[in-house]
Amino acid sequence: MIQSAVFEFVLSSDSGLLLFMLYDYLTAMGYEDPLRVQQEAANSDLSCMIRFYSEKPVNADQQERTLLKGVFSVRKGKTQLHKWAERQVILCGTSLIVASVKDSLTGKMHILPLVGGKVEEVKRRQHYLMFSSAGPQAQTYYVNFDTLADYQRWHRQASKVVSQTISLVDLSCYSLEEVPEYLFYCQDITHLNLRHNFMSLDGPGGLVNFSRFAQLRSLNLSHNGLGVFPESLCEIQTLTELYLSCNGLSAVPARLENLQSLQTLCLDGNRLDSLPEELGKLSQLCSLGLSFNDFPLIPGVVERLGALDKLAMAGNRVETLDLCSLLRMTHIKSIDLRLNGLRCVKSETLEPVKHLTQLDLRDNQLTSLDLSSACSLETLQCQRNQLGALTLSGFTLRTLHARDNREYRPPQHLNIYPVPNQLTHMDLSRNLLEYLPDWVCDSRKIEVLDVSHNLLSELPARCVCVSLSLRKLLSGNNRLESLADLLDHIPLETLDLQHNKLRELPESFFYKALNLKYLNVSANALETIPPSSQSEESLSTLQELYLTGNKLNENCAALLVGHQNLRVLHMAYNQLQSFPASKLSKLEVLEELNLSGNKLKTIPSTVSSCKRLHTLIAHSNHISVFPEVLSLPEIKLVDVSCNELTEILLPDSLPSTLQELDLSGNSSLMLEHKTLNLFSHISTLKLDQKPAVTAGDAQGTSTLWDHGYAEMCGQRNKLCVSVLAVDRFGDSPEAAYGIFDGDRNEEVSRLLQCTMGDVLAEEIQHSSVDSVYMSNTFLTSHRKLGMAGQKLGASALLCYIHHESSEPGRYFSLTVANVGTCQAVLCRDGQPLALSKVFSLEQSAEEMERVKLAKAIITEDNKVSGVTCCSRLLGCSYLFPWVLPKPWVHTEPLCSQDEFLILGNKALFQKVSYQEAVSTVLAVRDPRAAAKKLCTLAQSYGCRDNVGAVVVALHIGEDSCTCEPPLLTTEARGPPLPISVSPCDPATPSSSSGIASEFNSEMSASEVGSEAGSTASDEHPSSGPTARPERRCRVHPALFQRQPSSATFSSNQSDNGLDSDDEAPLEGVISNGSKLEVEVDIHCCAFQLRSGPPESPKDLDEISDLKKSPSTSSLFGKKLSNGSVVALEDSHNIIEVALEAPKKKSGYFAAPAQQDPEDQLIIPPSLEQDVREQLRGQSPVVPGPPSSARDPNWDHPQPTVPGLHPTTVLQQDVYDTAL
């Protein structure tokens, strides 16, 4: 258990108080129904988020981490003069304590300081350690431990102490009410960290006794819930640093003046609105933290603090700043006034403010700002205000950050006088600038200039092209049509010109910009690029070149030869029909090549000359021959999806570095088992699933929607984005899609991917109100994260397409719920319609205010407690109540003008606007290729993080079938309709899934069980009046009934996920040692509704016998290691399948096209006739309801067969699942 991530309470016998606190906790999370709150309060999974104790919490592991003690044989000194004796030995804090009398602490105590000393094992004796102190008068003790476990534990703990450079004791996050009494023997302690505990005032180890620390200089008591300022701390006159953040303090005692050595005082996150006048006597105080309190203005006592040079007052209630008051604070150099709601900065005097050098005014409500009197100002940050005018003094200005001031008027009046000749860094991005001021061109030392996302139509030549200091220029997303000639040998190293209207670059561009290392001219109208030099010899140092989204042809490839230092080349979505083989061979240091979205028929064989190539992306071309890259020694990723591959010629062995191979979207590709076996070591292999042809497929199918997805790691080592797609959710025409982004962790996103569909299916049974069941889906998924969700979290977005039960006349509705930064965009009549809300502190003023009122600490990078920029996440339960799991829910009725839906994570929409995303999909049409293009564009635009996209094509027209609810009755639901397995498709995945699902076996089964808990299907659906009514379709009169899958995270497995060593292999599950490739769908196989009259008892007995037969059990369920069979309708969970799978080092991936003889089903002769009769009696599969033929590229309407009942299949596709 991670104790710091759980809310712990020590209660008396008053159970009413417990219930009140639990009710308050659950309602704050987002539960609204009192009955549901009562149900959730009884759930054992809740212990991962909140915990109650009837007495003081004691943890054996916690005590072991705070101190070690025992009776051992001890000898003092390195000589043999001293004898071995049994003594009590204690390791606590920074010292080794040895008692002078056995089993007693009443006699003399020998204290051995260990910081800077040594701890060594005595090799000639077993379980011996030598402890030595530092300094010329070092002492030594030998200790003989009884067991190896004791020896290792003491050695490990002592090694940490001796490696420290200062006498620091870190006891944070231990749930302590007192420090160990032995800690007071460590008189050399100078730094003590006790943050995130429950420290009390009284007791032997309470705060009243802290004055016994004779050399204590730094004390951290943040997040201890003190309530009042402990005045006993005022007696520790050696203190130089005192941290008391987030303790609910409302007053500071006057006795604080006793701490005359105090230099740093941090009181952030309390409820202070004033300071005592006695605080002015702290003559050495140089840093004062008062952020996130309730101060209406800067306290007057600050004027008397003569040594104070840094004042932090972010997140208070200061609405007006009077520069005249700063004149009396002649010592202060840095002031932080972020997030104050500041509306006005007054300057009623002409007297200059000479001492102020740094001022932070971010995230306020300023409309104008005049700081011309701050003549010594060096750094100003005024991002995310509403500035229409900005006036500054340029005498000493070095850094100016003024981005995102476009909400009202653009900062056209940007005046700095005199010319800021010391200015080195200026950020004016995301404003409405139409031109650059003249003083920008006159600045002599400017090195970094960011003017992206403005309205600039030109860049002044003397500002950019002849500057002798500019090293980095970001001017993308403007209206530039040309670029002036550059000066010879300018120092420019980084140039970003993407998303402009450039048709050409200057002819001399490359051989004049010899220092250029990064160039991005994507999304322009370039038809050619300039040569790298005037002669055959090139001096180019260019390393990264991004040319995506232009009009370049194959002739431009010859001009790249001179860039021999090129490491990254992106030429996606141009007009390349070929790439000259002789030119590619000369790019010997190339590491990443992206040629997607062109008209290439082949990748030149000379690509094998690029020995450093690790990434080749060439999807969405016409390539028919697999490129010769599998012999490269460093190749990691190959993406040739959406091409025309027919075969793959492989070397005898594949490089061990290959981690990802994407072959999806190649409809003619047939892979032999030998080829698949060679791919067994690859972490991620993406192939098209080829389901067996059923009777329904023979007649043709018609869908209302289909999807494609793409996930790319970028420059990260792991993929933390997961996708959920269910084209057929339940029995009626419904669908569910989701995307989950764990930012820096992959565990939470994978858990949500595997469980959230089942949780939604369960919650729909409890309520028919969209906002209720979607909110509860998120809250339940948050709870089911268990231990994994304590310190880790993820953004999540879930879309549910369904019939609106309250409005039978409507066709479909789309309900969207999200937390974090994942977003959904609907294309309606060619225009983007945002359906989600971004829960980022920078983009939501409402959430920022809520987090501030909860007294959270928002760091300078706008993150809650320095952890996340999101105010709502699934997981991160230790950040409650600042970060909540309650989602934004929105329902949008769908119509025939709705063409497709786009789901993406933060990285996608940071680089690709809504309008560009919609235009991109409209141009591509195919959902999978469109998703691929969106991710490729984001990477070419500069995205280096994980990026994920889902494109859902909608074929909803007026001729689509509609379903309406039947008359509500008080009768309970009938039993589920009988289910049988298709004779042609016993275990076939959804055809829309695209790849075989994957599981990483690095996490053991016990970890999955403990971290995830049970899923929603463990709970029984409600049968009350709020239960969702059954639906009857006008076109297809068969009664549909939802069959939610039961994805249960079981903790009954062994640590390696197996119950025994002799487990039989599972059908459809193949293991390669680190991943499990699963042929079946994530939640269930393809089921059919039986037609005709019910079976006779004799038939049922025969079926029962078939289910019990080991040879035929795979038709009806999953055979477990103990010989039992779990019916598929009871458990279709891929995690259970994975846990039961054998772990072998070899194997091959799913190849349904050619079935291996060993994989074929063998039926005993005695049962063969019975099986034939059962299979013959099954009804054929019928396609779903028809779709409209709005566009031939999107829609493919097929005729339906009248009189046949549709198949009820819960098809769920979960991609790249590495859990």
Side-chain angles (χ1 to χ4, degrees):
M1 184 192 74
I2 306 174
Q3 296 208 11
S4 62
V6 183
F7 286 87
E8 299 174 342
F9 298 93
V10 182
L11 297 180
S12 62
S13 58
D14 186 1
S15 59
L17 178 60
L18 184 150
L19 294 175
F20 174 79
M21 297 176 67
L22 191 56
Y23 181 86
D24 185 62
Y25 179 84
L26 292 172
T27 53
M29 276 182 56
Y31 287 106
E32 298 178 356
D33 183 12
L35 181 60
R36 184 59 185 263
V37 172
Q38 183 179 358
Q39 295 173 351
E40 290 294 323
N43 200 300
S44 60
D45 292 344
L46 205 62
S47 62
C48 293
M49 295 183 287
I50 183 171
R51 188 165 299 163
F52 298 92
Y53 293 90
S54 60
E55 56 185 17
K56 178 180 177 181
V58 176
N59 189 300
D61 179 63
Q62 164 194 318
Q63 295 230 352
E64 182 179 295
R65 293 166 66 187
T66 57
L67 64 89
L68 297 175
K69 66 178 180 178
V71 178
F72 306 108
S73 296
V74 180
R75 192 189 76 192
K76 182 179 180 181
K78 296 182 179 181
T79 65
Q80 302 293 331
L81 298 178
H82 298 276
K83 296 181 179 181
W84 290 92
E86 295 286 331
R87 292 290 183 267
Q88 181 96 341
V89 184
I90 301 167
L91 178 61
C92 184
T94 60
S95 301
L96 183 74
I97 307 171
V98 181
S100 59
V101 182
K102 179 182 177 181
D103 296 334
S104 176
L105 295 176
T106 57
K108 181 179 179 182
M109 307 297 292
H110 300 276
I111 311 298
L112 184 68
L114 294 179
V115 176
K118 294 187 297 183
V119 55
E120 300 175 350
E121 61 175 316
V122 181
K123 296 183 179 180
R124 63 181 180 270
R125 294 178 179 270
Q126 191 176 18
H127 306 159
Y128 276 68
L129 284 179
M130 181 188 73
F131 298 89
S132 300
S133 60
Q137 298 181 350
Q139 294 182 333
T140 301
Y141 279 88
Y142 289 87
V143 181
N144 180 19
F145 297 95
D146 299 330
T147 64
L148 176 62
D150 285 337
Y151 165 81
Q152 292 176 338
R153 190 180 301 115
W154 283 68
H155 191 193
R156 182 171 56 250
Q157 187 71 16
S159 298
K160 295 179 182 179
V161 177
V162 298
S163 63
Q164 296 178 176
T165 56
I166 58 175
S167 296
L168 168 66
V169 176
D170 188 355
L171 298 177
S172 59
C173 306
Y174 279 0
S175 301
L176 296 177
E177 293 185 352
E178 302 177 10
V179 298
E181 193 173 356
Y182 304 111
L183 195 64
F184 294 113
Y185 288 98
C186 305
Q187 290 300 305
D188 62 329
I189 294 179
T190 58
H191 294 71
L192 181 57
N193 185 2
L194 292 169
R195 62 192 299 267
H196 281 290
N197 283 292
F198 305 106
M199 293 301 298
S200 61
L201 188 63
D202 303 320
L207 298 178
V208 293
N209 293 314
F210 274 30
S211 58
R212 295 172 59 182
F213 292 114
Q215 301 184 38
L216 189 61
R217 295 172 51 198
S218 176
L219 176 60
N220 192 337
L221 289 170
S222 301
H223 296 274
N224 271 270
L226 297 176
V228 294
F229 195 108
E231 296 196 26
S232 59
L233 301 181
C234 300
E235 305 299 326
I236 314 175
Q237 299 190 6
T238 57
L239 279 179
T240 61
E241 300 176 359
L242 180 58
Y243 300 90
L244 290 168
S245 301
C246 300
N247 277 292
L249 307 181
S250 57
V252 176
R255 291 182 58 192
L256 193 62
E257 64 178 337
N258 295 339
L259 303 180
Q260 288 297 312
S261 300
L262 198 62
Q263 300 176 9
T264 300
L265 177 60
C266 184
L267 299 171
D268 298 338
N270 287 290
R271 305 186 182 280
L272 303 173
D273 55 12
S274 63
L275 293 177
E277 290 297 324
E278 289 78 4
L279 196 67
K281 298 180 180 180
L282 300 179
S283 58
Q284 299 188 40
L285 189 65
C286 57
S287 177
L288 178 59
L290 301 175
S291 298
F292 302 99
N293 281 280
D294 299 323
F295 289 95
L297 44 82
I298 298 178
V301 70
V302 173
E303 301 176 10
R304 300 171 51 194
L305 296 172
L308 189 67
D309 62 1
K310 183 177 181 180
L311 176 62
M313 291 194 63
N316 281 278
R317 300 178 181 177
V318 181
E319 295 187 359
T320 302
L321 175 63
D322 191 352
L323 294 181
C324 294
S325 62
L326 297 183
L327 290 174
R328 299 187 293 270
M329 306 175 188
T330 57
H331 37 278
I332 295 183
K333 297 181 180 180
S334 174
I335 300 180
D336 182 0
L337 290 172
R338 298 174 294 122
L339 302 164
N340 266 280
L342 197 63
R343 297 178 180 273
C344 178
V345 177
K346 296 182 179 179
S347 180
E348 299 177 353
T349 179
L350 298 178
E351 186 176 353
V353 182
K354 298 181 179 180
H355 52 277
L356 187 63
T357 60
Q358 298 182 12
L359 182 59
D360 193 341
L361 300 175
R362 285 177 290 169
D363 298 286
N364 283 292
Q365 301 177 24
L366 295 171
T367 57
S368 64
L369 183 59
D370 185 356
L371 295 175
S372 56
S373 60
C375 57
S376 299
L377 192 64
E378 298 179 1
T379 300
L380 173 64
Q381 299 194 64
C382 55
Q383 303 98 301
R384 294 177 295 278
N385 278 277
Q386 303 160 11
L387 292 177
L390 178 61
T391 304
L392 302 174
S393 170
F395 284 108
T396 58
L397 189 64
R398 297 178 181 273
T399 304
L400 172 61
H401 296 275
R403 62 175 294 169
D404 270 316
N405 280 285
R406 61 190 306 170
E407 186 171 349
Y408 286 93
R409 298 184 300 275
Q412 298 173 348
H413 306 289
L414 182 57
N415 299 319
I416 300 182
Y417 182 83
V419 174
N421 288 324
Q422 304 298 321
L423 186 65
T424 60
H425 188 125
M426 183 167 67
D427 184 358
L428 298 175
S429 61
R430 298 186 181 276
N431 288 289
L432 298 175
L433 292 175
E434 298 179 356
Y435 59 88
L436 289 180
D438 293 337
W439 56 262
V440 176
C441 305
D442 297 331
S443 300
R444 300 176 182 177
K445 295 184 179 181
I446 189 166
E447 297 180 1
V448 179
L449 177 61
D450 188 352
V451 290
S452 58
H453 294 273
N454 279 286
L455 305 176
L456 301 177
S457 57
E458 65 175 355
L459 292 175
R462 63 193 186 98
C463 171
V464 178
C465 304
V466 300
S467 174
L468 297 178
S469 61
L470 190 63
R471 298 183 180 276
K472 184 176 183 179
L473 173 61
L474 307 178
S475 56
N477 295 89
N478 279 285
R479 301 175 179 178
L480 304 178
E481 297 182 357
S482 63
L483 186 67
D485 288 335
L486 304 181
L487 187 69
D488 289 342
H489 307 296
I490 62 171
L492 192 64
E493 297 178 358
T494 300
L495 178 60
D496 190 341
L497 295 169
Q498 62 175 293
H499 284 91
N500 281 289
K501 300 179 180 180
L502 298 175
R503 296 183 177 273
E504 62 179 3
L505 294 176
E507 185 72 14
S508 60
F509 180 81
F510 283 120
Y511 53 83
K512 286 188 176 181
L514 294 179
N515 295 301
L516 192 65
K517 294 180 173 58
Y518 175 98
L519 174 63
N520 195 330
V521 287
S522 300
N524 278 282
L526 297 177
E527 297 181 357
T528 185
I529 58 175
S532 59
S533 65
Q534 292 176 303
S535 60
E536 294 184 359
E537 183 179 358
S538 174
L539 300 177
S540 171
T541 60
L542 189 65
Q543 298 180 6
E544 299 183 44
L545 178 59
Y546 298 87
L547 300 168
T548 296
N550 283 285
K551 301 178 181 180
L552 305 177
N553 55 32
E554 55 274 9
N555 297 327
C556 298
L559 302 175
L560 298 173
V561 176
H563 303 294
Q564 298 182 359
N565 296 305
L566 201 61
R567 296 187 297 104
V568 179
L569 175 60
H570 282 219
M571 296 187 70
Y573 298 98
N574 281 282
Q575 299 176 4
L576 301 179
Q577 296 185 359
S578 64
F579 200 103
S582 59
K583 308 302 180 183
L584 183 58
S585 62
K586 295 183 179 181
L587 301 177
E588 297 179 353
V589 299
L590 193 64
E591 299 177 4
E592 180 179 326
L593 177 62
N594 194 327
L595 298 174
S596 304
N598 285 286
K599 302 177 182 179
L600 300 177
K601 295 183 179 180
T602 182
I603 300 294
S605 59
T606 53
V607 70
S608 59
S609 302
C610 305
K611 299 299 183 182
R612 298 185 183 180
L613 190 70
H614 59 70
T615 300
L616 173 63
I617 304 176
H619 63 78
S620 307
N621 280 286
H622 305 295
I623 299 173
S624 58
V625 180
F626 190 83
E628 300 179 15
V629 294
L630 296 182
S631 59
L632 296 176
E634 299 182 15
I635 192 70
K636 294 182 180 179
L637 184 151
V638 180
D639 185 353
V640 286
S641 58
C642 302
N643 276 288
E644 300 172 2
L645 293 178
T646 56
E647 61 178 351
I648 300 178
L649 299 178
L650 299 176
D652 295 335
S653 62
L654 298 181
S656 59
T657 56
L658 186 60
Q659 299 176 2
E660 181 174 347
L661 177 59
D662 192 346
L663 300 174
S664 59
N666 291 278
S667 57
S668 301
L669 181 62
M670 303 291 291
L671 298 180
E672 299 179 352
H673 285 200
K674 180 181 178 181
T675 302
L676 292 169
N677 202 32
L678 284 175
F679 292 152
S680 60
H681 75 279
I682 302 177
S683 301
T684 303
L685 174 62
K686 300 180 181 179
L687 296 171
D688 283 338
Q689 294 178 341
K690 297 180 174 59
V693 178
T694 64
D697 295 330
Q699 297 292 334
T701 59
S702 156
T703 57
L704 293 168
W705 39 72
D706 60 325
H707 75 276
Y709 85 102
E711 300 165 334
M712 297 184 179
C713 292
Q715 297 187 4
R716 300 262 293 275
N717 293 326
K718 59 182 179 179
L719 183 65
C720 301
V721 177
S722 300
V723 168
L724 170 69
V726 191
D727 283 332
R728 186 82 174 185
F729 190 77
D731 304 325
S732 59
E734 296 180 350
Y737 304 96
I739 187 168
F740 314 104
D741 186 357
D743 191 19
R744 300 290 174 178
N745 79 89
E746 58 184 345
E747 293 85 358
V748 173
S749 59
R750 299 299 185 190
L751 288 171
L752 293 173
Q753 178 192 46
C754 293
T755 60
M756 211 160 189
D758 286 326
V759 175
L760 174 61
E762 182 68 26
E763 291 297 338
I764 290 173
Q765 307 301 316
H766 290 277
S767 174
S768 60
V769 181
D770 300 340
S771 60
V772 174
Y773 64 70
M774 288 299 272
S775 292
N776 289 343
T777 296
F778 274 67
L779 297 177
T780 303
S781 299
H782 173 75
R783 169 175 56 79
K784 291 181 181 298
L785 289 174
M787 299 287 288
Q790 288 187 344
K791 284 200 170 183
L792 302 178
S795 299
L797 182 141
L798 187 63
C799 297
Y800 175 40
I801 304 176
H802 58 95
H803 283 288
E804 190 63 53
S805 58
S806 60
E807 300 182 33
R810 289 201 177 270
Y811 295 106
F812 290 96
S813 292
L814 172 62
T815 299
V816 179
N818 80 288
V819 293
T821 53
C822 292
Q823 301 170 55
V825 180
L826 178 68
C827 174
R828 173 167 291 172
D829 201 15
Q831 298 298 320
L833 176 63
L835 301 177
S836 54
K837 181 177 181 179
V838 180
F839 286 102
S840 171
L841 293 181
E842 292 184 358
Q843 296 179 254
S844 176
E846 178 183 355
E847 287 296 295
M848 177 73 81
E849 187 63 26
R850 180 186 66 79
V851 173
K852 283 173 55 180
L853 290 176
K855 297 303 176 182
I857 300 298
I858 302 174
T859 52
E860 293 187 359
D861 53 356
N862 269 344
K863 292 185 176 181
V864 180
S865 295
V867 176
T868 176
C869 64
C870 298
S871 61
R872 302 203 183 194
L873 288 175
L874 295 186
C876 285
S877 56
Y878 81 106
L879 291 178
F880 176 88
W882 310 318
V883 177
L884 299 176
K886 185 177 181 180
W888 158 272
V889 182
H890 173 71
T891 298
E892 183 72 23
L894 296 179
C895 59
S896 58
Q897 286 77 33
D898 297 329
E899 300 180 69
F900 53 84
L901 177 68
I902 303 175
L903 281 63
N905 68 331
K906 174 183 178 182
L908 176 67
F909 289 112
Q910 272 187 336
K911 297 298 181 180
V912 182
S913 65
Y914 290 163
Q915 185 61 59
E916 183 178 5
V918 166
S919 301
T920 296
V921 179
L922 284 172
V924 177
R925 290 298 185 175
D926 177 63
R928 173 161 41 192
K932 286 276 186 183
K933 183 173 182 179
L934 289 174
C935 293
T936 297
L937 291 180
Q939 287 189 331
S940 294
Y941 297 162
C943 176
R944 299 179 183 272
D945 290 331
N946 292 171
V947 58
V950 182
V951 176
V952 182
L954 302 174
H955 317 304
I956 299 174
E958 295 180 358
D959 57 341
S960 301
C961 75
T962 59
C963 297
E964 61 182 4
L967 295 176
L968 293 178
T969 63
T970 58
E971 297 179 3
R973 289 194 179 197
L977 294 176
I979 295 176
S980 65
V981 180
S982 169
C984 301
D985 191 12
T988 303
S990 166
S991 60
S992 61
S993 62
I995 62 166
S997 303
E998 304 162 8
F999 263 80
N1000 192 335
S1001 60
E1002 294 175 358
M1003 180 179 290
S1004 66
S1006 61
E1007 289 172 336
V1008 172
S1010 63
E1011 292 189 4
S1014 60
T1015 59
S1017 50
D1018 295 334
E1019 304 165 1
H1020 299 287
S1022 172
S1023 59
T1026 61
R1028 195 175 184 85
E1030 297 168 353
R1031 300 189 179 98
R1032 188 177 297 274
C1033 179
R1034 299 193 191 109
V1035 179
H1036 312 292
L1039 182 65
F1040 295 102
Q1041 182 162 350
R1042 182 179 304 279
Q1043 294 286 342
S1045 60
S1046 57
T1048 305
F1049 286 85
S1050 174
S1051 61
N1052 298 328
Q1053 309 291 332
S1054 60
D1055 287 341
N1056 60 1
L1058 301 176
D1059 284 339
S1060 63
D1061 296 334
D1062 55 350
E1063 247 187 288
L1066 283 177
E1067 177 135 0
V1069 181
I1070 302 103
S1071 171
N1072 61 7
S1074 63
K1075 300 283 184 176
L1076 293 179
E1077 302 301 325
V1078 187
E1079 296 181 31
V1080 298
D1081 201 358
I1082 213 61
H1083 289 284
C1084 65
C1085 301
F1087 300 126
Q1088 295 184 18
L1089 285 175
R1090 289 186 180 272
S1091 60
E1095 295 88 346
S1096 63
K1098 179 179 179 181
D1099 294 335
L1100 294 176
D1101 293 338
E1102 292 176 354
I1103 295 176
S1104 178
D1105 293 337
L1106 286 175
K1107 291 183 178 181
K1108 296 177 181 178
S1109 172
S1111 59
T1112 58
S1113 61
S1114 60
L1115 282 174
F1116 302 95
K1118 176 170 68 72
K1119 183 178 179 181
L1120 302 181
S1121 58
N1122 58 7
S1124 62
V1125 176
V1126 178
L1128 288 172
E1129 61 269 24
D1130 293 334
S1131 178
H1132 316 308
N1133 181 17
I1134 200 64
I1135 293 180
E1136 292 185 354
V1137 175
L1139 293 178
E1140 290 291 334
K1143 296 188 177 180
K1144 52 185 178 181
K1145 296 184 179 179
S1146 62
Y1148 53 86
F1149 289 82
Q1154 298 181 3
Q1155 195 173 25
D1156 192 278
E1158 297 179 357
D1159 296 335
Q1160 294 178 359
L1161 180 66
I1162 301 176
I1163 301 177
S1166 59
L1167 297 176
E1168 183 176 355
Q1169 185 62 29
D1170 294 336
V1171 172
R1172 290 180 181 275
E1173 292 179 0
Q1174 295 298 326
L1175 296 181
R1176 191 181 299 113
Q1178 294 180 355
S1179 61
V1181 181
V1182 178
S1187 63
S1188 64
R1190 182 175 63 253
D1191 191 302
N1193 293 323
W1194 282 111
D1195 307 328
H1196 307 282
Q1198 299 289 343
T1200 59
V1201 181
L1204 295 181
H1205 299 292
T1207 307
T1208 57
V1209 185
L1210 182 62
Q1211 296 177 340
Q1212 177 166 346
D1213 308 330
V1214 179
Y1215 303 108
D1216 295 345
T1217 308
L1219 186 56

